[in-house]
Amino acid sequence: MSTATEHIRADRLTTGRTVMVTTSTTMETITRVQVTGGYVDVETDRGSCYQWPAAHQVLALTSSGSR
């Protein structure tokens, strides 16, 4: 099963997005996003916390719903 992904800027992430935050295949769902002074603080459903520059590219599952 292949999953469609896209790169999205960290400052455009929203809660509920599923992202691949490391080079592994572990997917995490974002539970909190806070943009502060050019950085983005992100928390996930796995209890992980990340801080990325706003322009950092994050690999996310495409939000393919009903079109």
Side-chain angles (χ1 to χ4, degrees):
M1 176 179 118
S2 65
T3 305
T5 57
E6 63 182 341
H7 282 92
I8 186 168
R9 281 175 54 110
D11 61 356
R12 299 215 174 140
L13 291 171
T14 54
T15 56
R17 287 299 300 258
T18 300
V19 296
M20 187 180 299
V21 293
T22 63
T23 53
S24 70
T25 56
T26 303
M27 303 303 287
E28 301 186 30
T29 301
I30 295 172
T31 55
R32 186 180 74 87
V33 178
Q34 182 175 343
V35 180
T36 312
Y39 285 88
V40 183
D41 292 313
V42 175
E43 290 179 13
T44 73
D45 61 339
R46 297 173 67 94
S48 303
C49 297
Y50 304 96
Q51 184 181 70
W52 295 310
H56 177 73
Q57 296 288 307
V58 181
L59 189 63
L61 291 185
T62 54
S63 46
S64 56
S66 52
R67 292 188 180 193

